[in-house]
Amino acid sequence: MDNNIRKKKRWVESFVGKAFIICLLIFVLANLLYPSHEKSEEENRMLTQKPKMTVGNLTSGGYMEQYENYQADQFIGRNFLRKVKVTLNRLGGSREENGVFIGKKGQLLEDIVVPDQETLKENLTAIKTFSQEYSDIPMSMILVPDAASVLSGSLPSFAKVADQNACISQVKKELGDSVQWIDAVKAMNKHQDEKIYYKTDHHWTTLGAFYTFQEAASTLVIDADVSSAYVSYPVATDFNGTLAAKSGCRMGEKEEIDIYVPKDTDNDVTVNYVDEQIKTTSLYESKMLKTRDKYAVFLGGNTSLIDIKTLSEKQGRILVIKDSYANSFVPFLAPYFREIVLLDPRYYTGNIQDVMDTYKITDVLFLYNGNTFFQDNNISGVLNSGQSNETGIHTEEGTDQTE
């Protein structure tokens, strides 16, 4: 009897071993035949592509690292296994996935970034120097706190984040009189019980942008009562943002995206995407509502330089040095500035002096989300670019106006 049991046990072990090897071979073969994908719609990001083998890559060790990233991004069943991992983590009590807190009442919150002090110092020095070089041009700054700072009550129990308010106060103190400070922290905290941030995305909602615009109006010398000057309506009701994609949580949640339109003024504009040499007649790209990246309905997403001409009777020409938070803020400026120029230092490689001169800028606004500002190491480079004059600006006709 014992001999039969041992034989049966050996047969089971042999069968399991062979089955495992067969399954492994099938998995490896399937991965070899599985076509590479450029983008993950669920995660809303570009996937790593198969690297090219070169002598330099092989000797430096870079090829193997790139290939590992490629395999991690492209293996078959990745989305399913990712969902399983997130589910198991949640069942195990995890309240954070990939730097995203799974907060209360369905709120997802991105962790607060601790700024690199050397990079921050370089950026602030560049802003102050830029302000001194154009001392006759009013410069203002809006630094918008992240949801985890304003909606701290929605953080999961025992979760701790850095004190972003202290970092923002440091920026305000060090910039001093070089900029006119617009207090977005006050504006957002005042309305923290309203839908001023998306639940599934790291951006503020258009309502949050509107409240901050009201706070900014007097500083930007807008003398009109803007509180009732706009009407809002939804352009999407099925938005699921980047934090859901990044964390794998709340993927089924659907949110509304609103746009605000002036009540009593003409909203006609000409929008020139300068480097792309593309013109449109709207501040909104409706085709983006058919994609996962629906927030890109505002100005089509991020690009290096945009020139917006309006029908405003005002004569001001404002330069907005910005990140993506500004995209939903800019429509509020349209009735009050003749021209709005948007510059994103993460993508712009030209000369800041060319921008100031070509567009005859009369006002400058820095508008950033806290986390982006405290990570961006491009600001100082762009603001210091006036020291050289190697890159020109494409005008509407696509000509170079530098000498």
Side-chain angles (χ1 to χ4, degrees), residues 114-130 132 141 143 167 170-176 178 373-381 383-384:
V114 177
D116 177 82
Q117 289 298 319
E118 184 176 347
T119 300
L120 179 60
K121 182 179 179 181
E122 289 175 357
N123 287 340
L124 297 182
T125 299
I127 292 172
K128 287 189 285 187
T129 302
F130 181 62
Q132 290 168 2
M141 186 162 195
L143 200 50
C167 296
Q170 176 192 352
V171 172
K172 179 182 178 182
K173 180 179 178 181
E174 293 194 17
L175 288 178
S178 59
F373 183 80
F374 291 125
Q375 292 180 92
D376 194 348
N377 59 3
N378 300 292
I379 299 171
S380 59
L383 295 182
N384 292 330

Side-chain angles (χ1 to χ4, degrees), residues 77-96:
R78 181 177 182 277
N79 287 338
F80 171 75
L81 293 175
R82 181 169 176 264
K83 289 177 181 177
V84 170
K85 173 185 176 295
V86 171
T87 301
L88 291 176
N89 285 349
R90 295 296 308 281
L91 291 173
S94 173
R95 290 295 177 266
E96 183 181 357

Side-chain angles (χ1 to χ4, degrees), residues 124-197:
L124 297 182
T125 299
I127 292 172
K128 287 189 285 187
T129 302
F130 181 62
S131 174
Q132 290 168 2
E133 289 176 353
Y134 294 94
S135 58
D136 58 328
I137 294 178
M139 298 196 183
S140 306
M141 186 162 195
I142 300 175
L143 200 50
V144 185
D146 284 83
S149 178
V150 177
L151 308 181
S152 56
S154 294
L155 286 166
S157 300
F158 309 112
K160 291 185 178 180
V161 295
D163 186 352
Q164 192 176 64
N165 285 346
C167 296
I168 291 174
S169 295
Q170 176 192 352
V171 172
K172 179 182 178 182
K173 180 179 178 181
E174 293 194 17
L175 288 178
D177 296 335
S178 59
V179 299
Q180 300 174 98
W181 190 262
I182 297 168
D183 197 346
V185 173
K186 182 177 78 172
M188 299 299 275
N189 279 330
K190 184 178 178 181
H191 298 279
Q192 61 183 271
D193 294 331
E194 300 176 55
K195 186 70 179 292
I196 54 174
Y197 294 97

Side-chain angles (χ1 to χ4, degrees), residues 144-352:
V144 185
D146 284 83
S149 178
V150 177
L151 308 181
S152 56
S154 294
L155 286 166
S157 300
F158 309 112
K160 291 185 178 180
V161 295
D163 186 352
Q164 192 176 64
N165 285 346
C167 296
I168 291 174
S169 295
Q170 176 192 352
V171 172
K172 179 182 178 182
K173 180 179 178 181
E174 293 194 17
L175 288 178
D177 296 335
S178 59
V179 299
Q180 300 174 98
W181 190 262
I182 297 168
D183 197 346
V185 173
K186 182 177 78 172
M188 299 299 275
N189 279 330
K190 184 178 178 181
H191 298 279
Q192 61 183 271
D193 294 331
E194 300 176 55
K195 186 70 179 292
I196 54 174
Y197 294 97
Y198 295 108
K199 286 186 174 183
T200 64
D201 195 75
H202 68 286
H203 290 102
W204 57 3
T205 62
T206 325
L207 179 62
F210 179 57
Y211 284 139
T212 302
F213 171 66
Q214 288 181 274
E215 185 72 24
S218 59
T219 302
L220 298 176
V221 198
I222 297 171
D223 52 11
D225 179 10
V226 300
S227 62
S228 58
Y230 298 84
V231 60
S232 68
Y233 62 91
V235 292
T237 56
D238 57 349
F239 176 49
N240 189 262
T242 56
L243 296 186
K246 186 177 180 181
S247 67
C249 300
R250 313 282 194 248
M251 297 292 289
E253 182 133 9
K254 296 179 180 180
E255 300 190 78
E256 186 173 288
I257 295 179
D258 298 323
I259 65 173
Y260 282 58
V261 177
K263 283 183 179 179
D264 303 320
T265 59
D266 201 321
N267 202 37
D268 289 348
V269 295
T270 301
V271 182
N272 181 24
Y273 296 86
V274 178
D275 289 340
E276 294 81 1
Q277 299 188 46
I278 296 172
K279 286 185 185 180
T280 69
T281 56
S282 175
L283 296 168
Y284 308 101
E285 284 287 348
S286 59
K287 66 182 180 181
M288 299 307 298
L289 295 174
K290 298 178 182 178
T291 70
R292 179 169 180 81
D293 189 17
K294 290 180 173 57
Y295 183 81
V297 67
F298 300 104
L299 293 166
N302 295 316
T303 189
S304 57
L305 192 67
I306 303 175
D307 175 30
I308 303 168
K309 287 184 169 62
T310 76
L311 295 180
S312 174
E313 295 178 356
K314 307 292 184 180
Q315 296 302 306
R317 296 182 175 91
I318 189 168
L319 170 64
V320 183
I321 299 173
K322 44 73 88 179
D323 66 5
S324 58
Y325 264 55
N327 295 356
S328 58
F329 182 92
V330 163
F332 297 117
L333 298 176
Y336 306 105
F337 288 92
R338 178 180 179 180
E339 194 164 4
I340 305 166
V341 179
L342 308 180
L343 187 155
D344 193 325
R346 296 170 297 176
Y347 306 98
Y348 182 71
T349 58
N351 188 309
I352 191 69

